[in-house]
Amino acid sequence: MQLKLEARPARLAAMVWLSPVVAVVLSAVAAGLLFALLGRDPLVALYTLFIAPLGTVMGLTELGLKATPLLLCAVGIAIGCRANVWNIGAEGQFTIGAICGGGVALAFGESGGALVLPLMLLAGIAGGALWAAIPAFLRTKYNAHEILTTLMLSYVAVQILGWLVHGPWQDPEGFNFPQTRQFLPHATLPLLVEGARLNIGALFALAVVPLAAVLLGRTMTGYRIRVAGLAPGAARYAGFSAAGTVWFSLLLSGGLAGLAGICEVAGPVGQLQPIISPGYGYAAIIVAFLGRLNPVGILFASLLMALIYLGGEGLQMDLQLPPAATGVIQGLLLFFLLAADVLILYRPRLVLKPGVKHA
Amino acid sequence: MPDPGIILAILVATLRAATPLVLAGLGELVTERSGVLNLGIEGMMLVGAAVGFMATVVTGNPALGMIAAMLAGAAMALVFGFLTLSLLANQVATGLALTIFGIGLSALLGVDYQSHPITGLATVISPHLSEASPAVQQLLLIDPLVMVAVVAPFLVHWYLTRARGGLVLRAVGESHDVAFALGYPVIRIRYFAVMFGGAMSGLAGSYLSLAYTPMWTENMVAGRGWIALALVVFSTWKPIMLALGALLFGFVTIAQFQVEALGIDIPPQLLATLPYLATIAVLVLISRDTTRTKLNAPAALGRSFHPST
């Protein structure tokens, strides 16, 4: 028996949006099997993962909190992917954004008043954009591919953060823990719900969705991006600057990841420490694909991924499952999505006798 | 005149640091020569490191551990192959998925084996290692996997330039349509190449957890899979150049310890950025010359093959 793929005469448009649903269902089934293998009741585990976090107001605010960095990073990654620019170093831009914004908070200390927070946010965006500018420069000037440069710079960024919190920026009264001083109230993002950790960073993320949708769908810049991704030859022929597209999409996605970084440390984390992200920058790649590289789709995908993070914490606490289980489910999700996407362009057919030709 | 003992130590340390890069890099080189770009090396190495370590702890035999690591790497590669070769999924996206999945899977598998004590490969082979004189000790650190890494580049070079199978594999990587028209089983050859790449990545991972460190910790590959990927580009898809590049990187990796030993006061975190910065530098140097890269890259690299198109 052999699997044959027949090219469809036209794209199966419905499958574009059906495929993420199929992928989520298959991932849930696979996750259930995984939980059973690990000796847990699969139904209880799946309930803990997907349903339990949604049952309380607190859970919903945490969902929004975790979706914020995913959404911000993923929108940037998606705009890059639309232009065929692969920024997989959002984690590094996130980290540098956190460092630059956090540095502003530490520099002002108790002074600065209402000026500090806007400056922190701007520094975060600038830091992320600057970190993404390096791969943009290396790609446009030296043709070095951004997949490797963005990723290598992520490792560098995490080391820089480690150096700062172990060294020059370490809290002198922090009992030698590798962390900076706690940011003061005027250097932390205002909360949206009393008693919860959800902050106005979520509003920035929500505002980015329509802005990115308009940018991609309604502006000349968005048009250039889409043409550069779909038909690079046509983009060149039309005189669209290839270097300009690379610069624009990398600076934009770096800035968004930087904003996510500063929102995280000026929000739930509240200081700089060696680990400020449970891999949001990498998970955002999955979110971007799951959301079909579309800002509105990414909004939903980021909520789902936030749910997996949140439910994963529940699995750790209630069922003593290791945190890595979350990572496995994330990976499975992307596998199933890529597999289901085959159906957009091809019709699968099982052929009993190999070698029999189909017209 | 520097002490010959120190020079020997530096040489051996360089060779050992280069070994995982050579093994994983050769696997990816063969994969890419068949026209497939697998960005999942990091994930396959991690799973190989975890599985190899677990199998060694359970059986007490590092050879079985290495075999288990190769099988695990090949199994990961099979998933990648099924998605990209049979289901024609995008190779870049699938490779990223493989790495993300591998990070999670290895952490999950190895959760009960964190900081579990194990005897390093060199000590397993020569139990009296710690009693030997310093020079002999250094030589004994050249374990069988290091020797494999020394010999393998020549074997792969021979295979790709002299053996019939290697020539067919390259033909598939240059033009799958022509190779298919000539009657070669394009997909089957690519499956073979992808799984060879996975097995080599798995072996490279097991070297890290069984000999180099030797222990299992989460995410212990620390970007070496990506560095191996950069080395393939750097080598312009030539095995011997790849080995030389890996030696260069091995030297950069151990330079951070040498700097500390010399008493130069640079924070360890900043020294740890050296291999990543060196990767970027090497990539820039090699990519600057577009014609050279384009001439040497397998022409069908990254393109899916479907007989009807």
Side-chain angles (χ1 to χ4, degrees):
Chain A
M1 210 161 67
Q2 214 179 345
L3 180 70
K4 289 260 186 219
L5 295 177
E6 286 173 12
R8 292 183 194 277
R11 283 162 58 91
L12 186 60
M15 200 59 212
V16 174
W17 292 103
L18 206 57
S19 171
V21 179
V22 172
V24 171
V25 172
L26 289 177
S27 303
V29 172
L33 282 173
L34 179 74
F35 297 140
L37 273 176
L38 292 168
R40 310 298 198 280
D41 183 339
L43 289 179
V44 172
L46 284 176
Y47 179 83
T48 312
L49 181 61
F50 287 117
I51 314 281
L54 301 174
T56 60
V57 176
M58 196 61 176
L60 291 175
T61 60
E62 283 291 298
L63 193 73
L65 185 74
K66 289 189 158 47
T68 299
L70 291 166
L71 178 56
L72 286 170
C73 291
V75 167
I77 292 170
I79 289 173
C81 284
R82 284 287 193 91
N84 214 1
V85 174
W86 293 80
N87 176 15
I88 60 170
E91 188 83 0
Q93 295 137 20
F94 177 102
T95 305
I96 297 294
I99 291 174
C100 290
V104 170
L106 294 172
F108 273 98
E110 286 173 20
S111 62
L115 202 64
V116 176
L117 206 50
L119 277 179
M120 284 168 69
L121 293 171
L122 285 177
I125 295 171
L130 190 74
W131 207 241
I134 302 170
F137 173 74
L138 297 178
R139 160 86 188 259
T140 51
K141 178 98 171 131
Y142 297 113
N143 197 35
H145 204 284
E146 69 279 0
I147 285 190
L148 275 166
T149 50
T150 52
L151 194 81
M152 289 290 116
L153 285 171
S154 290
Y155 286 101
V156 173
V158 171
Q159 293 291 346
I160 292 177
L161 177 62
W163 165 61
L164 288 172
V165 298
H166 279 97
W169 288 8
Q170 191 175 32
D171 181 1
E173 288 135 37
F175 304 102
N176 220 14
F177 277 110
Q179 56 195 29
T180 62
R181 287 177 196 276
Q182 287 275 349
F183 298 160
L184 296 166
H186 72 287
T188 35
L189 293 171
L191 298 176
L192 283 179
V193 182
E194 199 58 44
R197 302 196 297 166
L198 185 68
N199 59 51
I200 60 163
L203 300 183
F204 302 151
L206 278 179
V208 162
V209 173
L211 289 177
V214 168
L215 171 80
L216 272 173
R218 296 272 179 274
T219 64
M220 190 59 188
T221 312
Y223 180 68
R224 284 171 188 232
I225 285 175
R226 286 182 290 139
V227 175
L230 289 172
R236 257 197 312 279
Y237 186 69
F240 299 167
S241 155
T245 307
V246 171
W247 273 102
F248 179 81
S249 47
L250 273 170
L251 287 183
L252 183 73
S253 58
L256 287 172
L259 178 62
I262 184 58
C263 285
E264 195 67 11
V265 291
V269 181
Q271 64 189 157
L272 291 178
Q273 54 188 47
I275 294 169
I276 52 171
S277 149
Y280 285 141
Y282 300 113
I285 301 170
I286 306 176
V287 171
F289 281 109
L290 202 63
R292 314 279 63 184
L293 308 181
N294 173 311
V296 179
I298 288 172
L299 172 63
F300 290 103
S302 66
L303 287 169
L304 176 77
M305 188 59 77
L307 181 61
I308 293 178
Y309 269 113
L310 202 56
E313 288 175 7
L315 289 176
Q316 276 176 64
M317 283 184 284
D318 300 348
L319 298 172
Q320 285 76 47
L321 279 167
T326 316
V328 174
I329 297 167
Q330 290 175 355
L332 283 173
L333 193 56
L334 188 48
F335 275 143
F336 285 123
L337 181 76
L338 293 167
D341 275 353
V342 174
L343 300 176
I344 297 171
L345 291 176
Y346 297 94
R347 182 185 298 138
R349 178 164 291 181
L350 282 176
V351 183
L352 290 177
K353 269 187 255 163
V356 178
K357 291 264 186 241
H358 284 262
Chain B
M1 181 66 199
D3 181 359
I6 292 180
I7 294 180
L8 180 69
I10 291 177
L11 282 176
V12 171
T14 302
L15 208 54
R16 280 164 54 85
T19 295
L21 301 176
V22 172
L23 295 175
L26 282 178
E28 178 69 12
L29 188 144
V30 170
T31 304
E32 292 195 14
R33 272 293 179 101
S34 82
V36 182
L37 178 69
N38 185 354
L39 296 186
I41 313 173
E42 181 86 4
M44 297 188 294
M45 282 177 78
L46 274 165
V47 171
V51 169
F53 188 85
M54 290 160 65
T56 305
V57 170
V58 171
T59 64
N61 184 344
L64 289 178
M66 286 174 217
I67 292 170
M70 289 179 80
L71 289 175
M76 291 278 287
L78 188 63
V79 173
F80 173 85
F82 178 70
L83 280 163
T84 57
L85 301 175
S86 294
L87 296 183
L88 309 180
N90 179 305
Q91 292 178 7
V92 172
T94 312
L96 289 175
L98 195 67
T99 287
I100 293 173
F101 179 71
I103 293 171
L105 182 67
S106 60
L108 185 65
L109 289 171
V111 73
D112 295 329
Y113 293 82
Q114 288 266 19
S115 26
H116 191 293
I118 189 177
T119 316
L121 188 60
T123 317
V124 174
I125 291 162
S126 25
H128 303 292
L129 180 69
S130 53
E131 298 152 30
S133 70
V136 176
Q137 226 174 48
Q138 288 298 331
L139 290 177
L140 287 177
L141 278 173
I142 304 176
D143 57 54
L145 274 183
V146 178
M147 290 181 219
V148 169
V150 171
V151 179
F154 297 98
L155 288 178
V156 173
H157 174 78
W158 172 84
Y159 181 74
L160 288 175
T161 53
R162 296 278 180 274
R164 188 182 157 75
L167 295 175
V168 173
L169 185 136
R170 276 169 55 197
V172 167
E174 293 299 335
S175 169
H176 43 221
D177 294 321
V178 171
F180 184 72
L182 286 171
Y184 292 119
V186 171
I187 300 294
R188 200 185 310 159
I189 290 168
R190 286 192 170 162
Y191 261 108
F192 158 78
V194 164
M195 287 178 67
F196 174 77
M200 289 297 275
S201 284
L203 188 65
S206 75
Y207 176 76
L208 290 172
S209 64
L210 296 181
Y212 194 71
T213 317
M215 62 171 170
W216 161 253
T217 44
E218 248 179 60
N219 236 334
M220 65 182 295
V221 175
R224 286 185 184 86
W226 296 102
I227 294 177
L229 188 80
L231 281 174
V232 177
V233 182
F234 165 78
S235 75
T236 55
W237 294 267
K238 294 187 178 69
I240 301 190
M241 275 298 286
L242 179 110
L244 293 177
L247 283 174
L248 184 76
F249 267 83
F251 186 73
V252 172
T253 313
I254 62 148
Q256 38 180 305
F257 305 113
Q258 298 304 323
V259 169
E260 274 168 63
L262 289 171
I264 299 169
D265 190 25
I266 302 178
Q269 293 91 353
L270 295 188
L271 282 173
T273 62
L274 276 180
Y276 309 118
L277 293 176
T279 308
I280 294 174
V282 155
L283 202 68
V284 165
L285 284 177
I286 204 77
S287 310
R288 211 172 37 163
D289 191 350
T290 338
T291 26
R292 187 159 157 244
T293 318
K294 279 216 177 105
L295 276 177
N296 287 292
L301 185 61
R303 284 174 33 214
S304 297
F305 173 67
H306 187 248
S308 75
T309 51

